[in-house]
Amino acid sequence: MQTKIWFGLACWMGGMLLLGACGSKPGSEEEPVREVETKINLAKAPEAQADSAYAFVKAQVDFGPRVPNTEAHQRTGDFLVVQLKKMGWDVSSQPFEAKAYNGTLLQSRNIIASLNPKATTRLLLAAHWDTRPFNDKEAKDSLNFVPIDGANDGASGVGVLLEVARVIGQSAEKPALGLDIILFDSEDYGQPENYAGQWSPDLWCLGSQYWAKNPHREGYSAYFGILLDMVGAKNAQFYREGYSMQYAPSVTKKVWQIAQQLGFGKYFIARDSPTIIDDHYYVNTLAKIPMLNIVDYDPQNAESFFPAYHHTRNDNMKIIDKNTLQAVAQTILQVIYQENAELANAE
Ligand code: AHN
Ligand code: ZN
């Protein structure tokens, strides 16, 4: 009896607090999960610019598809190094040769930009900068394969990180926290859809696998990492991805909460998605750094998990929305300055 009254009261208060009705089923299809979490006191963070992030995406696409062993790939890599240096970051390249599913040797390089290189408490941000050599989800016949622009799959994550790097580089209040941006190469050269040979996840994400086995600095570690993949499409939906929740649950929840507090709940949906093999998988399992993935997820597409543009020629500038880029860039900046403030408070 007594318990029932208390439950009713708690439910009423909780309902008032969350502006949700007691009868609604959290976690059901219609209702986003709303966990009772205390509000985070947001630290002051500099602002990302939508136009600037967009220009960084376009600049990459303008080089042409960034397929390893092509001139566009080479030139884009050089461009990224120059940009990051110009923004005041310490930049190094990690060249490597990777063997693709069909035996092709891919002349590859991971690009690493660091801030406060001597700081021992480090946060890692990453995205892949190469693009898929074929539109295999569209043309089912390999004779009709063409490379894709990869405006979203590739350029968007890098574009957001360039904007984050630019804003921090210009800021009068630079974080004391150590920061590393790693642009992984040769992520997207995995076996095509109708390939007759064996499917293996390890044929994807060749740059992150190489880096995880050969870190750019001996004994390198970060206390967590964030991977960005396909973060620029109009109406993107970022669910809390399976490996992120498995390996980095507390930071994943925190990032989603920060995004929601910033007003980006339309993109950052506090629901879980299945596991997705991506660069973060190898950073988690091989480098043992907890890393989450912010990746566009299509809950309607049970087969591939990704929206319809994925690995087709439709992945071009037409699907890029600067509001999405801005939401992700601002969320990342907030996370960085939040962590920096919490670190300073702990000292
Ligand atoms: C697989 O298709 C195995 N993983 C998706 C990783 C990916 C490809 N992200 C962008 N392109
Ligand atoms: Zn891809």
Side-chain angles (χ1 to χ4, degrees):
M1 205 40 190
Q2 204 68 336
T3 355
K4 224 174 184 173
I5 293 162
W6 275 112
F7 175 77
L9 190 64
C11 196
W12 174 79
M13 295 199 302
M16 292 292 283
L17 224 77
L18 295 170
L19 306 168
C22 239
S24 76
K25 291 175 284 167
S28 69
E29 274 302 88
E30 318 82 58
E31 223 16 56
V33 178
R34 289 181 188 209
E35 281 160 6
V36 186
E37 262 153 5
T38 38
K39 271 218 160 177
I40 295 170
N41 215 337
L42 295 181
K44 191 166 166 279
E47 281 189 14
Q49 283 177 24
D51 288 333
S52 173
Y54 185 89
F56 285 134
V57 176
K58 185 170 183 301
Q60 294 169 77
V61 173
D62 283 347
F63 280 105
R66 281 79 66 214
V67 176
N69 299 346
T70 67
E71 201 193 322
H73 178 263
Q74 177 70 41
R75 290 179 58 216
T76 306
D78 295 346
F79 166 81
L80 296 172
V81 169
V82 168
Q83 290 297 313
L84 288 161
K85 276 188 183 159
K86 229 170 60 182
M87 294 165 185
W89 291 60
D90 287 359
V91 186
S92 64
S93 288
Q94 182 180 54
F96 63 100
E97 198 172 64
K99 198 183 234 167
Y101 71 95
N102 57 0
T104 304
L105 290 178
L106 308 174
Q107 302 309 319
S108 312
R109 64 172 142 167
N110 294 325
I111 296 165
I112 302 126
S114 302
L115 194 78
N116 306 324
K118 296 215 172 76
T120 49
T121 307
R122 313 199 63 79
L123 205 157
L124 171 60
L125 306 167
H128 74 91
W129 71 275
D130 64 305
T131 53
R132 187 133 178 87
F134 17 72
N135 60 333
D136 57 322
K137 281 198 177 166
E138 181 180 31
K140 296 292 175 190
D141 182 346
S142 63
L143 293 172
N144 296 317
F145 281 177
V146 291
I148 62 168
D149 281 355
N152 204 31
D153 190 356
S156 68
V158 174
V160 165
L161 293 181
L162 286 176
E163 176 59 6
V164 167
R166 183 192 70 81
V167 169
I168 293 174
Q170 279 195 346
S171 171
E173 282 149 67
K174 294 204 179 35
L177 186 71
L179 292 174
D180 301 286
I181 290 175
I182 306 191
L183 307 179
F184 291 124
D185 201 354
S186 298
E187 186 273 346
D188 231 345
Y189 217 110
Q191 64 281 45
E193 290 281 301
N194 287 354
Y195 187 60
Q198 269 266 293
W199 191 91
S200 162
D202 297 354
L203 296 171
W204 300 80
C205 307
L206 304 179
S208 53
Q209 291 189 63
Y210 182 85
W211 177 81
K213 291 171 188 162
N214 308 278
H216 64 287
R217 268 165 57 178
E218 213 185 293
Y220 175 83
S221 195
Y223 72 108
F224 75 89
I226 301 177
L227 177 68
L228 305 180
D229 193 6
M230 300 186 271
V231 290
K234 190 175 161 66
N235 301 323
Q237 288 185 290
F238 310 122
Y239 279 49
R240 304 186 307 188
E241 179 272 339
Y243 289 126
S244 309
M245 288 298 276
Q246 189 176 322
Y247 291 102
S250 55
V251 279
T252 302
K253 288 182 196 164
K254 190 173 178 182
V255 169
W256 261 250
Q257 197 191 332
I258 285 173
Q260 292 188 347
Q261 281 188 219
L262 290 174
F264 304 132
K266 164 176 182 273
Y267 305 108
F268 287 81
I269 295 160
R271 276 197 217 130
D272 298 353
S273 83
T275 56
I276 291 170
I277 296 280
D278 209 338
D279 290 318
H280 73 312
Y281 174 73
Y282 297 98
V283 173
N284 277 302
T285 57
L286 300 177
K288 313 278 186 207
I289 295 170
M291 185 181 232
L292 63 95
N293 191 7
I294 300 177
V295 57
D296 200 355
Y297 172 71
D298 181 0
Q300 317 296 7
N301 194 345
E303 231 176 281
S304 98
F305 302 155
F306 305 121
Y309 61 76
H310 186 243
H311 294 176
T312 74
R313 284 169 299 168
N314 290 331
D315 184 354
N316 58 44
M317 286 311 288
K318 285 191 210 135
I319 65 161
I320 301 297
D321 183 343
K322 40 182 87 167
N323 297 310
T324 310
L325 295 169
Q326 208 248 333
V328 178
Q330 195 58 52
T331 298
I332 298 300
L333 282 166
Q334 188 65 47
V335 169
I336 292 168
Y337 279 79
Q338 203 67 37
E339 291 301 314
N340 191 60
E342 285 172 26
L343 191 73
N345 286 342
E347 268 163 9

